[in-house]
Amino acid sequence: MKRRQFLLAAGASFASSSLALKPTTAASNSGASASGPQAASPQLLTAEPIDAQILPEGNPATPMLGYNGSSPGPVLRVKQGAMLKAKLVNAFDQGTAVHWHGLRSDNAMDGVAGLTQEAVAPGDSFDYALSAPDAGTYWYHAHNRSWEQVARGLYGPLIVEEASPPDVDRDVIVMVDDWRLMETGTLAPGFANMHDQAHQGRLGNFAKALIDDNSPVRKGDRLRLRLINVATDRVFPLALAGVAGKVVALDGMPLAEPQDLADLLLAPAQRVDVIADVTADPEQGQSVQIGAPMRDGVYELGTLAVEGLNSQRTASPIAALPLNAMPKPDDYAAVLDIELRLQGGAMSPGAATLTDIWGFNGQSGMSDAPYHRFKRGQWARIRMVNESVFAHGIHLHGHHFYELEATGKLGAFRDTTLVDPRQELRILCKFDNPGAWLLHCHMLGHQASGMKTWLEVV
Ligand code: C2O
Ligand code: CU
């Protein structure tokens, strides 16, 4: 099948509920919800081979990896301020580790094999216990051979609940992903294909939205949609139809002023929270649609059927979520200005000193010395200069940072930022979380081929 047929096939049949996430153990396993003070038992996360129905029903299943029998793994929910406890059990044949993407938490629990811990060997386990200081939408994923293990399905949603959650009728988790599949349903081999890596990375030929609960909604329902791009390399443009509302958070962090809901663009690992009212009219056969606008039309990634009317809910403006603690730049004089040059890839000269396809500042992969050693509390403005002809989604572990507008005005507070080809972008960060932190491109094929470094906060 050609890619286009695959994508169209996705659109035609996604409404089938069997394609939604299987009900996860989160609801049935008493240890599953790590929320509340009595949450003593850790959530078990067994990384293991699974078969998943990625292609529409009637097509072959796909041998993959999952947590507790499914990909995505269980929905982990923890109350803001509580401890997240999870026990990773490795039941497949490679070393692995779990990273809690976006949590500004403890370095020793960051789950980066080779930097914050050793990879957990097959048959072994690892106990994670970390604080969840920020309410919002996060995710967890494998962080050893991530370009392969994430592509094979090792990820799941991580929700940190507000003390008083916003008033909505449904909270829906929507993970968008793409897979490169063969006609047999198997994942195409060559996870570290050099041609992919030198370009945009491993792009799938089949894409869809994985929705944790796609039972029908009512016209008039207020939804919270938690959109998460879990693809290894694809930047997803997303458009929502059948709802009207606001963007309330980016990368987990609430916006002081909710923004109008327009078309969205999510780099790998980025999240967008939307609160919106269902406007789709069931009388007219309309549904809520999650689509990816492409050059030749909108590909339907997923739908929520609409049945009936919610007559209880009275129209009210969509309010901002309570803000998480965000560092406020108080002393600009003390800001350190440093540079991060994004180099390499096909069709651009690249730095002569790169030993792999990609690199930062002339260096491919991890060096002995950190990219920078920050004194705890140091503010730094990092000018990211993309010298390549590809986009990069740059992710900093353990911190969120401000994107800076051209004028220097503070933009969104994120953990992953999309730097367009041949563009520059400045971020401003307070390095206040001690430890050794990874800084890398979340196009995991780029990370695999040199686009990563680390920094230290002491
Ligand atoms: Cu989402 Cu280095 O990770
Ligand atoms: Cu990249």
Side-chain angles (χ1 to χ4, degrees), residues 391-393 441 443 446 451:
H392 303 285
C441 182
M443 276 76 167
H446 294 173
M451 206 172 237

Side-chain angles (χ1 to χ4, degrees), residues 100-112:
W100 318 92
H101 184 113
L103 280 198
R104 297 189 289 173
S105 197
D106 318 310
N107 188 253
M109 293 289 148
D110 202 40
V112 179

Side-chain angles (χ1 to χ4, degrees), residues 39-60:
S41 53
Q43 161 76 43
L44 204 59
L45 284 179
T46 302
E48 59 193 353
I50 61 159
D51 283 326
Q53 191 63 48
I54 301 298
L55 288 170
E57 212 58 46
N59 291 281

Side-chain angles (χ1 to χ4, degrees), residues 41-323:
S41 53
Q43 161 76 43
L44 204 59
L45 284 179
T46 302
E48 59 193 353
I50 61 159
D51 283 326
Q53 191 63 48
I54 301 298
L55 288 170
E57 212 58 46
N59 291 281
T62 301
M64 303 186 30
L65 296 172
Y67 294 109
N68 302 359
S70 74
S71 173
V75 181
L76 303 188
R77 290 185 181 272
V78 58
K79 278 253 180 275
Q80 183 173 18
M83 291 295 282
L84 169 68
K85 291 185 184 166
K87 185 187 207 61
L88 167 68
V89 176
N90 184 351
F92 73 111
D93 60 1
Q94 293 180 350
T96 192
V98 182
H99 171 56
W100 318 92
H101 184 113
L103 280 198
R104 297 189 289 173
S105 197
D106 318 310
N107 188 253
M109 293 289 148
D110 202 40
V112 179
L115 184 66
T116 66
Q117 68 173 92
E118 292 301 316
V120 179
D124 281 358
S125 67
F126 190 91
D127 291 299
Y128 291 95
L130 61 169
S131 56
D134 302 309
T137 301
Y138 299 89
W139 64 300
Y140 60 94
H141 63 81
H143 216 305
N144 188 47
R145 299 181 62 82
S146 56
W147 61 92
E148 172 181 342
Q149 294 186 5
V150 173
R152 291 173 70 188
L154 284 182
Y155 56 74
L158 170 56
I159 307 301
V160 184
E161 294 171 340
E162 293 84 10
S164 46
D167 172 30
V168 297
D169 300 296
R170 275 275 289 282
D171 189 315
V172 186
I173 302 169
V174 180
M175 298 185 118
V176 293
D177 200 357
D178 67 347
W179 299 262
R180 187 180 294 177
L181 295 168
M182 309 205 289
E183 287 181 52
T184 55
T186 351
L187 290 167
F191 292 99
N193 177 297
M194 280 181 54
H195 182 269
D196 291 339
Q197 291 177 344
H199 295 79
Q200 283 167 275
R202 180 182 167 100
L203 299 180
N205 51 12
F206 181 80
K208 72 178 178 188
L210 300 152
I211 303 176
D212 71 322
D213 171 6
N214 67 356
S215 58
V217 295
R218 297 165 297 182
K219 184 179 181 188
D221 273 350
R222 181 158 285 189
L223 311 180
R224 178 180 191 163
L225 298 166
R226 302 175 182 266
L227 310 171
I228 309 174
N229 181 359
V230 298
T232 52
D233 298 273
R234 181 183 293 277
V235 177
F236 265 102
L238 293 180
L240 303 176
V243 291
K246 300 265 185 189
V247 172
V248 294
L250 296 172
D251 291 356
M253 295 292 173
L255 301 170
E257 304 259 339
Q259 293 168 359
D260 289 339
L261 180 55
D263 286 0
L264 306 166
L265 190 65
L266 277 75
Q270 287 188 325
R271 288 89 66 210
V272 176
D273 279 47
V274 169
I275 295 184
D277 299 326
V278 176
T279 54
D281 188 352
E283 308 280 288
Q284 315 227 13
Q286 295 170 341
S287 57
V288 174
Q289 295 173 329
I290 300 141
M294 305 266 174
R295 253 182 311 235
D296 47 354
V298 176
Y299 289 108
E300 190 180 295
L301 295 168
T303 60
L304 287 170
V306 181
E307 285 175 12
L309 182 72
N310 179 350
S311 47
Q312 249 66 55
R313 183 169 283 281
T314 48
S316 63
I318 291 160
L321 297 170
L323 294 182

